[in-house]
Amino acid sequence: MGKRLDKLLIAVSMVFVLGIVACLYLFPEGSQNVANRIFGAMTDMFGSLTLIFAFGGILLLMLVSFSKYGRIKLGEGEPEYSTFKWVSMMICCGLGSATVYWAFIEWAYYIGTPGLGIQAGSQPAFEMSVPYTMFHWGISAWTLYALAGIPIAYHFHVRKNRGLSLSGIISSITGLKQDGVICRIVDVLFIFICFGGLSITLGVSVPLVTEIFCSVVGITPSFIINLLIIVVLSVIYSFSSYIGLKKGMAKISDWNIKLVIIFCIGVVVCGPTLFIISNTTQSIGLMFQNFIHMSLFTDSIGKSGFPEAWTIFYWLYWITYAPFTGIFIAKVSKGRSIRSVVANTLISGSAGCFGFFGILGSLSLNRQLTGSVDMVGMLGAGQGNQSIVQVLRTLPAGPVFMVIFCIITLLFLATTLDGAAFTMATPSTVGLKNDEEPHPMLRLFWCIMLSLVPLTMILINADLNTIKTCAIITAVPIIFIMLVMLVGWLRWMAADYRGVTSEELEKELMRKD
């Protein structure tokens, strides 16, 4: 394996990440201030571009999928995974444990700081709170994943180009040397944003699991329990990564999605059933009714700061996840058509989020309206984790729901980090072939590194939000990298299939099967 390792990429990436951690330890306040100032400047300068990029991406994917090019098959032969496992793996890799946290509480932030110029604390603010969570985790987020995944899949499975990585596709499109300076910078950016996004996910989600676990068993949350949970989680996803996608992540994702479905059905049955169904239905309607307005809302007159704090922030955050999620989508979508990949990401992923956020958000909103749990007040007091515990305790057999919730959160984390380790191992493997997976030991190495960074951050009591802010700052150059990828992908398709009719393309694809 040693001869195939990209040792320079691994070394430079680790020095870069550890250097950021050292700065946070030595200059915590200064690092936070600098990161926040840069982030503020970037959201002002590139905010509108970010909104247009996400909305335009939806239109582009719809246009391609409904054209003859949507029939193009990404690789030969039958799909490697069943549809359910395929959907499950993509959802688990693309969302992670942050979903279960924000599904309960995000709506509560929008009561005091609503978008679209709505008055704070008003009835419209309550009505639009759950629709806004669906919007931020739905179609646009999955579009950004697909905008990265489909060009990479075309590059790898159709064009048969070497390199399942950002630098690989950039090299194929532009003619730049993959071992040149620019492509090296692209790979380092990729590794860094993986560490930034996933370290903050681990650092934020583990305290939630600790809070719920300690509440069930009746003990006080502590730093030691946080460490133990991270160790258990690391063992799970390291083992899953080591044994491979088909034996590891595919099965864990399959179990996790089934457990999520059972959990949501249980919440609907045991909770305020009619309110959950009614509010989820209304929220989906309001989200689609206001979709274009929310997608392009800059609040240029009101200057409330909502787009920068939420929508633009989220789109940049999804863009930091898009490269590694895109590489994963490309790898597991061999044998699928472009149209089916678009449908899976935009429809299946979004529908799962709509149901999940609708059910859990409506449950906690009902507890706020009935006075059972003051979600808004607890969030204002910095008690987000405790508020989720209180909501779960209002359900019959609350401890059972809390245990299931802990398991779901850990499995979401494990599959997300497993997918990240896989995608980080691909660019650090030289000459990875079309039907080949990165070496298990290399994936295990990245699993361990992904565990050590947040552990170090917790040990030195550093501000995890600074890592998150630094990672999001890198999303701006990633937008331009994705634009190059998209232009190259469209040119490839035009060159390969310009003179081919839909009927001829369909016959060709049938022959490939």
Side-chain angles (χ1 to χ4, degrees), residues 133-173:
T133 66
M134 293 179 174
F135 169 69
H136 283 147
W137 292 77
I139 295 171
S140 298
W142 288 97
T143 292
L144 294 169
Y145 293 161
L147 289 176
I150 295 176
I152 295 173
Y154 194 95
H155 148 82
F156 196 65
H157 294 303
V158 179
R159 280 271 170 152
K160 306 293 185 182
N161 295 322
R162 286 292 186 91
L164 187 59
S165 62
L166 288 188
S167 64
I169 186 173
I170 293 299
S171 174
S172 298
I173 290 170

Side-chain angles (χ1 to χ4, degrees), residues 239-317:
F239 177 73
S240 170
S241 183
Y242 182 79
I243 63 177
L245 288 180
K246 292 183 179 179
K247 295 180 180 179
M249 186 175 176
K251 291 186 177 180
I252 293 178
S253 299
D254 187 46
W255 300 335
N256 195 30
I257 292 299
K258 290 176 181 177
L259 194 58
V260 167
I261 294 172
I262 293 171
F263 179 78
C264 289
I265 292 173
V267 169
V268 173
V269 173
C270 297
T273 306
L274 294 179
F275 179 82
I276 289 175
I277 295 173
S278 175
N279 193 63
T280 299
T281 302
Q282 175 177 273
S283 295
I284 292 173
L286 286 172
M287 189 271 299
F288 278 112
Q289 179 184 339
N290 295 277
F291 186 83
I292 296 178
H293 191 183
M294 290 190 289
S295 296
L296 301 175
F297 177 63
T298 60
D299 203 12
S300 56
I301 307 299
K303 298 289 185 181
S304 65
F306 180 90
E308 294 82 3
W310 289 102
T311 306
I312 295 171
F313 169 84
Y314 261 133
W315 287 184
L316 290 173
Y317 196 40

Side-chain angles (χ1 to χ4, degrees), residues 6 16 57 115 117 138 198 208-209 216 234 280 308 319 454 489:
D6 193 335
F16 193 34
L198 294 165
L208 173 60
V209 176
V216 172
S234 301
T280 299
E308 294 82 3
I319 288 170
W489 165 53

Side-chain angles (χ1 to χ4, degrees), residues 24-248:
L24 292 175
Y25 177 66
L26 297 172
F27 314 104
E29 293 184 7
S31 300
Q32 179 69 43
N33 292 335
V34 170
N36 286 340
R37 283 198 297 269
I38 295 174
F39 179 68
M42 284 195 166
T43 53
D44 288 340
M45 293 174 60
F46 299 103
S48 295
L49 170 65
T50 304
L51 296 178
I52 293 171
F53 179 69
F55 186 70
I58 298 173
L59 301 180
L60 173 64
L61 291 179
M62 291 179 63
L63 180 64
V64 171
S65 62
F66 284 110
S67 72
K68 68 178 183 180
Y69 298 109
R71 299 174 182 268
I72 296 173
K73 190 172 183 179
L74 301 171
E76 300 177 353
E78 293 295 321
E80 295 184 77
Y81 304 95
S82 68
T83 300
F84 186 83
K85 286 185 177 180
W86 180 47
V87 172
S88 298
M89 283 195 293
M90 289 175 64
I91 290 177
C92 288
C93 178
L95 294 179
S97 62
T99 310
V100 292
Y101 176 80
W102 289 106
F104 272 102
I105 69 171
E106 183 174 324
W107 66 268
Y109 285 101
Y110 302 145
I111 303 303
T113 56
L116 303 182
I118 297 171
Q119 183 180 353
S122 63
Q123 179 177 331
F126 276 88
E127 290 177 345
M128 285 299 297
S129 60
V130 175
Y132 242 118
T133 66
M134 293 179 174
F135 169 69
H136 283 147
W137 292 77
I139 295 171
S140 298
W142 288 97
T143 292
L144 294 169
Y145 293 161
L147 289 176
I150 295 176
I152 295 173
Y154 194 95
H155 148 82
F156 196 65
H157 294 303
V158 179
R159 280 271 170 152
K160 306 293 185 182
N161 295 322
R162 286 292 186 91
L164 187 59
S165 62
L166 288 188
S167 64
I169 186 173
I170 293 299
S171 174
S172 298
I173 290 170
T174 63
L176 294 169
K177 292 183 179 180
Q178 194 167 350
D179 58 355
V181 175
I182 295 178
C183 288
R184 284 296 191 182
I185 292 173
V186 170
D187 277 335
V188 171
L189 277 175
F190 170 74
I191 298 294
F192 176 68
I193 61 177
C194 285
F195 268 105
L198 294 165
S199 293
I200 192 67
T201 297
L202 192 61
V204 169
S205 300
V206 168
L208 173 60
V209 176
T210 299
E211 187 76 37
I212 296 176
F213 173 76
C214 291
S215 178
V216 172
V217 300
I219 59 178
T220 304
S222 67
F223 173 74
I224 298 299
I225 297 176
N226 274 331
L227 289 180
L228 289 174
I229 288 176
I230 288 178
V231 170
V232 171
L233 172 65
S234 301
V235 170
I236 293 173
Y237 80 77
S238 296
F239 177 73
S240 170
S241 183
Y242 182 79
I243 63 177
L245 288 180
K246 292 183 179 179
K247 295 180 180 179

